Structures are given as structure tokens and as C-alpha cells.
């Protein structure tokens, strides 16, 4: 735990409120607990969050919270605060170069790797420190699983997949990909992940894949994404950071979902669609502009008549 006074003294943030509050970490407002600092992009987020302390770069009037106010990019300030928790040994430092030990079956393991009964790791795979893998899993050759990942039972990860890869994350005018992140990747039971698929490590929260979900080849799942149970994501789809797919969602090949989008339960995203806004439950979406499928088909019919 750290006191807010300590954080304000060490960083270029302004403290407005009780500096004697002790905080346990920093994360996004919608998932923050009472003891964490909430990263808030808006007044409505600050009002809804359970956290007592809000990091913001906006003037928030009438908010009954203690504020940490930064003058510049909010995620840059959040990264600097997270690094304080790393320096206090309260967050793991995933940016450190790991030491691996060669295993008799031809793969490399970091420290404190736990692998359940009847699970198999293929040759030339890298399993980072403190990774937990459940029972009856098959990790094919040439798979990378980054430190701290938690993988359930009966999981299949096919060749070339990268789990807990650093996010392609731009938080300021800095080069992308220089921020490893503080979160984990959590994969539920009975999940299949295809060849060359990338699941990025969480930045300020965890990237989560729910049980009984199938993910095809060459899919990219961004940082802090939450995928529900029994979802199906077809090859070459892309899901940007902090998006949420509720249970039973299907995303077809080469579809793209932008950041901070919520896809409702049971919805279907057709191939090559671009989804840039929230989708209600049991909706079918298609087309470049992510319209309802029936509306997109009507539009295409009109265009064919004209041209």
C-alpha cells in the first residue's frame, strides 16, 4: 500500500483531498475497487467508480472523491504511478529480462512455473515465470506464454501463439510498444487458441478469455480485452484494447472491433465488418460501417441497382 501523499510528492500530479488515503494499485475506473486509484476519462466514470481516489486530467466539479490531477496525458501519469508500485515490490516487473531453464522435453521455463497433471508443453516453447497451467492442456511447439499468465484446464494453444505479449499501446507521444503493462492474461477452461494468435498482456487490468471459447489462427486480442464464455473468434479478426465481448459472441474472419466497444451477448459480427460502437444483445452486424446486417444488405442492394 502507498499513501497518496507519497505519490504526489514523487510525481507531477496535484493532490486534491485526503493525502493520508492508502491505495493498493491503479486501474480503470469501471473495474477499480475501493482501495485502488481509478483512471477516469470523464465525470460520469468518476461518479460511478467504487474507488475513493480518481486520477484525472479534467476539471471534475462536485465529485465526492479525492483527486490526483495531472496536466498532461492521463495514461502517461497512470503508467508512472504504476511504476511506483513496481518499485515498492507491490506490482511484478514484467519488463525485466527473464532467466529460463531448459527442460528435458525441449522447452524453456521461467521460475515457479506450475503445470497441472497430464498437460504437455511442446518443444521450443517459452513459459515465463509464475505461469500457472491447469490439467490436460496441450501447449504446442513454439508457443510463448508471458510471466504471470493463468491458464485453466483442457486448454489447447497451437504453434506460434503468443500469450501475454506486450500491448501495442500508445499512451502519449512516445513510441508504441514501450509499455509492457501491469496486468495478466487469464484464460478459462476448455479454451482453444489458434496458431500465430496474439493475446496481449493487460495494461492496467487483466486480459480475460472466458471458458469454452474458441479462437482461430492469426487473431489479435488487445490489452485489457474481456471475452466471455462460449465465444467464437474466427481467423484474422482484430479486437482492440479494453473492448468487451459478452457470452456467446461470434466474430467472423477479418472483422475489426475498435477500442472500448461492448458487444452484447449472443451477437454476431460478420466477416470484414468494422465495429466502432456498442452492439446490443443478439444483434447481427456487417459491413465497413458496422450496420445491422439487414440494413447493410438493403444498402448493398440499392448500390447494385445504381451501379
Amino acid at each position: 500500500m502507498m499513501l497518496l501523499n507519497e505519490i504526489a510528492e514523487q510525481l507531477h500530479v496535484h493532490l486534491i483531498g485526503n493525502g493520508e488515503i492508502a491505495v493498493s494499485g491503479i486501474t480503470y475506473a469501471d473495474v477499480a475497487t475501493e482501495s485502488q486509484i481509478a483512471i477516469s476519462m470523464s465525470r460520469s466514470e468518476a461518479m460511478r467508480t467504487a474507488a475513493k481516489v480518481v486520477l484525472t486530467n479534467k476539471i471534475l466539479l462536485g465529485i465526492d472523491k479525492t483527486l490526483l490531477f495531472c496536466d498532461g496525458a492521463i495514461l502517461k501519469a497512470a503508467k508512472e504511478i504504476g511504476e511506483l508500485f513496481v518499485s515498492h515490490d507491490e506490482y511484478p516487473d514484467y519488463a525485466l529480462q527473464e532467466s529460463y531453464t531448459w527442460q528435458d522435453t525441449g522447452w524453456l521455463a521461467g521460475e515457479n512455473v506450475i503445470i497441472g497433471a497430464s498437460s504437455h508443453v511442446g518443444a521450443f516453447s517459452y513459459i515465463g515465470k509464475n505461469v500457472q497451467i491447469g490439467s490436460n492442456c496441450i501447449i504446442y511447439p513454439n508457443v510463448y506464454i508471458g510471466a504471470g499468465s493463468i491458464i485453466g484446464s483442457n486448454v489447447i494453444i497451437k504453434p506460434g501463439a503468443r500469450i501475454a505479449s506486450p500491448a501495442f499501446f500508445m499512451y502519449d507521444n512516445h513510441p508504441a510498444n514501450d509499455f509492457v503493462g501491469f496486468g495478466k492474461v487469464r484464460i478459462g477452461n476448455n479454451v482453444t487458441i489458434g496458431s500465430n494468435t496474439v493475446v496481449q498482456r493487460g495494461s492496467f487490468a487483466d486480459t480475460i478469455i472466458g471458458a469454452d471459447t474458441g479462437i482461430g489462427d492469426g487473431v489479435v486480442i488487445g490489452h485489457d480485452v474481456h471475452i466471455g464464455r462460449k465465444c467464437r473468434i474466427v481467423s484474422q479478426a482484430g479486437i482492440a484494447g479494453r473492448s468487451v465481448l459478452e457470452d456467446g459472441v461470434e466474430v467472423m474472419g477479418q472483422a475489426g472491433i475498435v477500442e472500448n466497444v461492448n458487444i452484447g451477448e449472443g451477437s454476431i459480427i460478420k466477416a470484414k465488418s468494422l465495429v466502432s460502437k456498442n452492439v446490443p444483445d443478439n444483434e447481427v452486424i456487417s459491413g465497413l460501417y458496422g450496420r445491422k446486417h439487414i440494413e447493410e444488405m438493403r444498402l448493398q442492394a440499392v448500390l447494385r441497382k445504381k451501379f
Side-chain angles (χ1 to χ4, degrees), residues 82-126:
E83 287 171 343
L84 288 181
F85 287 98
V86 171
S87 67
H88 281 68
D89 295 325
E90 296 187 40
Y91 277 7
D93 188 353
Y94 294 123
L96 282 176
Q97 182 67 39
E98 289 194 50
S99 296
Y100 292 93
T101 303
W102 183 261
Q103 305 299 301
D104 291 341
T105 49
W107 57 279
L108 290 158
E111 298 175 355
N112 304 316
V113 171
I114 298 173
I115 298 181
S118 302
S119 288
H120 174 76
V121 179
F124 305 110
S125 289
Y126 286 73

Side-chain angles (χ1 to χ4, degrees), residues 219-267:
V219 173
V220 177
I221 297 172
H223 62 89
D224 309 294
V225 165
H226 188 161
I227 296 174
R229 296 170 56 90
K230 298 183 178 180
C231 292
R232 185 165 69 117
I233 303 171
V234 180
S235 298
Q236 299 182 7
I239 303 171
R242 294 207 67 214
S243 289
V244 175
L245 277 62
E246 304 288 353
D247 294 348
V249 168
E250 295 189 19
V251 180
M252 301 306 176
Q254 297 186 342
I257 298 172
V258 306
E259 62 183 357
N260 300 321
V261 164
N262 191 94
I263 309 296
E265 185 173 346
S267 291

Side-chain angles (χ1 to χ4, degrees), residues 1-5 7-8 13-30 32-40 45-56 60 63-69 81 85:
M1 302 285 278
M2 293 185 65
L3 294 178
L4 291 181
N5 281 331
I7 294 172
V13 293
H14 309 286
L15 176 62
I16 305 171
N18 182 7
E20 296 301 314
I21 295 176
V23 289
S24 61
I26 183 166
T27 188
Y28 298 106
D30 55 345
T33 64
E34 189 176 279
S35 67
Q36 293 176 305
I37 299 170
I39 303 167
S40 178
E45 281 187 338
M47 293 287 287
R48 292 193 307 267
T49 185
K52 293 180 179 178
V53 181
V54 170
L55 172 69
T56 182
L60 303 179
I63 301 292
D64 188 22
K65 308 272 185 182
T66 293
L67 302 181
L68 289 174
F69 184 84
I81 291 171
F85 287 98

Side-chain angles (χ1 to χ4, degrees), residues 143-146 157-158 160-166 196-200:
V143 168
Y144 169 85
I145 301 178
I157 303 179
K158 295 186 177 179
R162 295 182 61 84
I163 309 300
S165 181
N196 300 318
T197 283
V198 175
V199 181
Q200 295 179 353

